[in-house]
Amino acid sequence: MSLDTCDKLTLVVVSPERVSVVNGKAFFLSQKTIEGGIEYAKRWPGNVKMLFDAGSRPQDSASMRKVVRDDVPFEIVVAPLNSTQIRSTIRSADVRVIALSSHLLHLASETDGARPRSVLVAENSLRTRWQMIKATTKNPAIRARRLIWEARQESRFRAAVRLSAGIQCNGSPTYARYCRLNHNALLFFDGRVPHGDMARESDLTRKFEERKGKPLHLAFSGRLISIKGVEDLLVVAKILKRAGVEFVLSICGEGPLDGKLRQMATEWQLEHNVVFRGYLDFSTELVPFLKREIDVFLCCHLQGDPSCTYLETMACGVPIVGYANEAFAGVWRESKGGWLCSLGRPKAMSSIVIELTRKREEIVRRGRDALSFAYEHSVQKTFDRRVSHYLSVVETHGAFFSK
């Protein structure tokens, strides 16, 4: 079927976010969700509807934005997931995009039958989901039940992938596990830095010249929570100081471990080496800071979720020294934009950093590799690929003309 015969196509994106509504008119959405909806609307030849489960969501989070329907080029639908409104909207879609999640999976089968129209989006592999459970559940009995439940969900996920019109995998771990189950599989790497905000080759050269002879400037950005391995950042700093390395470590972000990390820095007399910068606005503060000041990014993520951190850091021309969780290991194999070290081994990470103090030119070389990979997976190119993938479903299975 030719897409030229369709005047209007409807793309329905079912978000895993729960959204609060203010006075029936305004919504609190994450900045990333808003930007994603805008990118879809730029490319989709018709209407874009974004569906959210109704519920409370913290309204004071720095990443949340208050929007009204007229502010954005896509339709916002907020209702309980089992409501008639949600189900009827999904049934009328030409293509529906649904996260591979246990509480959304039932929506993928709505009237698919012989004409599948659901494209699933996979984020976390079973291994990563298990890692998250182990990191956040202390009670052994509860932990065991959750691990078993997650394994059973994986069987449901695999069945859904086989029956869907396509699968999009954010990162190598899920792609490796699901691509053989569905012939229409797409691998992508998620990030938020637009092409125009990325670093340039000249930026890397200039930074290298300006930072000659200065202490190595390391950085971390993200939520200060245990599954991000942030306590290991202070261990790395402690080892570097004992080794006589001149360095500064900037920790950018907020979270429940902020106080503990500050206490560790004080107890280990790292106040002159570790700087807590708090939350930085992504576009106006964090990206310029990384591009201008940072030599190497430290990533102690203990689990393999497809963090935007990897692509966003590389887009600034900053190479990453990171734990070999399955997500970063996949990015590293594709990009060589940094260095891998053993999972949960801050001493191994410190050894790499110490070596880099003697090989500053290697930092620039890996920074170029990182930047090249980020350009290939820029926001624009990634959404071009993803929307083309959705349109292939219409071409293969036809539009839903009975709306």
Side-chain angles (χ1 to χ4, degrees), residues 135-390:
T136 58
T137 310
K138 294 182 178 180
N139 185 295
I142 296 175
R143 183 169 62 241
R145 287 199 297 271
R146 289 178 177 174
L147 293 172
I148 293 170
W149 183 87
E150 202 64 65
R152 290 172 177 167
Q153 293 306 301
E154 182 66 14
S155 297
R156 293 181 63 217
F157 289 175
R158 293 174 70 86
V161 170
R162 289 189 183 96
L163 295 174
S164 67
I167 175 79
Q168 295 191 353
C169 299
N170 183 6
S172 302
T174 51
Y175 185 77
R177 284 152 183 80
Y178 298 137
C179 67
R180 294 184 181 90
L181 303 179
N182 191 303
H183 71 280
N184 191 23
L186 175 73
L187 170 65
F188 72 96
F189 295 92
D190 198 16
R192 289 181 294 169
V193 182
H195 196 277
D197 289 343
M198 289 185 177
R200 301 288 185 268
E201 285 274 351
S202 57
D203 295 330
L204 304 190
T205 302
R206 181 172 60 252
K207 183 167 65 174
F208 176 71
E209 292 298 327
E210 290 176 351
R211 295 199 48 75
K212 276 184 177 178
K214 295 182 179 180
L216 200 64
H217 199 163
L218 311 171
F220 169 86
S221 68
R223 290 278 293 159
L224 305 183
I225 54 179
S226 60
I227 61 174
K228 300 298 182 183
V230 291
E231 289 129 311
D232 284 1
L233 293 169
L234 275 296
V235 179
V236 171
K238 182 180 180 181
I239 295 171
L240 294 179
K241 183 174 182 178
R242 284 182 174 177
V245 175
E246 293 188 8
F247 74 98
V248 174
L249 170 59
S250 289
I251 297 178
C252 310
E254 299 173 336
L257 292 182
D258 182 273
K260 180 179 181 180
L261 297 179
R262 292 175 185 270
Q263 183 179 358
M264 291 169 68
T266 300
E267 290 178 354
W268 293 346
Q269 298 181 343
L270 296 170
E271 299 97 324
H272 298 297
N273 298 98
V274 178
V275 180
F276 293 90
R277 298 186 180 274
Y279 172 80
L280 300 181
D281 180 79
F282 178 75
S283 298
T284 62
E285 296 178 302
L286 181 60
V287 169
F289 176 64
L290 292 175
K291 287 163 60 176
R292 182 182 64 251
E293 299 287 343
I294 301 305
D295 298 307
V296 175
F297 190 95
L298 301 185
C299 189
C300 299
H301 290 189
L302 296 169
Q303 82 298 323
D305 70 293
S307 174
C308 292
T309 297
Y310 307 129
L311 263 291
E312 291 164 358
T313 301
M314 290 179 170
C316 297
V318 178
I320 300 171
V321 178
Y323 283 163
N325 65 66
E326 58 178 356
F328 181 58
V331 170
W332 181 85
R333 284 193 297 270
E334 297 283 338
S335 68
K336 299 300 188 290
W339 302 264
L340 285 176
C341 62
S342 300
L343 196 65
R345 294 283 304 280
K347 187 174 181 180
M349 181 173 285
S350 304
S351 296
I352 294 173
V353 174
I354 291 170
E355 184 69 16
L356 291 176
T357 62
R358 299 188 286 267
K359 296 181 178 179
R360 291 288 187 105
E361 67 283 352
E362 180 69 6
I363 295 175
V364 178
R365 188 177 74 80
R366 294 294 179 100
R368 290 195 178 102
D369 292 339
L371 185 59
S372 176
F373 181 75
Y375 268 109
E376 185 57 32
H377 298 279
S378 66
V379 170
Q380 290 85 346
K381 288 184 178 181
T382 295
F383 274 93
D384 284 347
R385 293 179 185 124
R386 296 187 69 185
V387 171
S388 293
H389 188 242
Y390 301 146

Side-chain angles (χ1 to χ4, degrees), residues 29 33-34 36-38 41 48-50 52 69 72-76:
L29 304 178
T33 296
I34 296 169
I38 291 171
V48 175
K49 299 180 181 182
M50 299 199 71
F52 302 91
R69 285 189 170 91
V72 291
F74 52 86
E75 183 178 340
I76 299 172

Side-chain angles (χ1 to χ4, degrees), residues 11 36-46 48 73-74 387:
L11 175 70
I38 291 171
E39 294 298 330
Y40 282 142
K42 287 178 183 177
R43 294 163 174 80
W44 184 258
V48 175
F74 52 86
V387 171

Side-chain angles (χ1 to χ4, degrees), residues 90-158:
I90 289 174
R91 287 171 183 162
S92 67
D94 294 294
V95 177
R96 57 264 191 122
V97 181
I98 302 176
L100 192 59
S101 169
S102 57
H103 75 287
L104 298 179
L105 203 57
H106 66 285
L107 300 175
S109 60
E110 283 291 324
T111 67
D112 259 355
R115 181 182 286 171
R117 297 191 305 280
S118 295
V119 177
L120 302 177
V121 181
E123 294 273 339
N124 296 315
S125 69
L126 176 60
R127 179 182 178 183
T128 293
R129 301 197 303 274
W130 275 348
Q131 288 173 333
M132 291 178 174
I133 291 170
K134 291 174 182 177
T136 58
T137 310
K138 294 182 178 180
N139 185 295
I142 296 175
R143 183 169 62 241
R145 287 199 297 271
R146 289 178 177 174
L147 293 172
I148 293 170
W149 183 87
E150 202 64 65
R152 290 172 177 167
Q153 293 306 301
E154 182 66 14
S155 297
R156 293 181 63 217
F157 289 175
R158 293 174 70 86

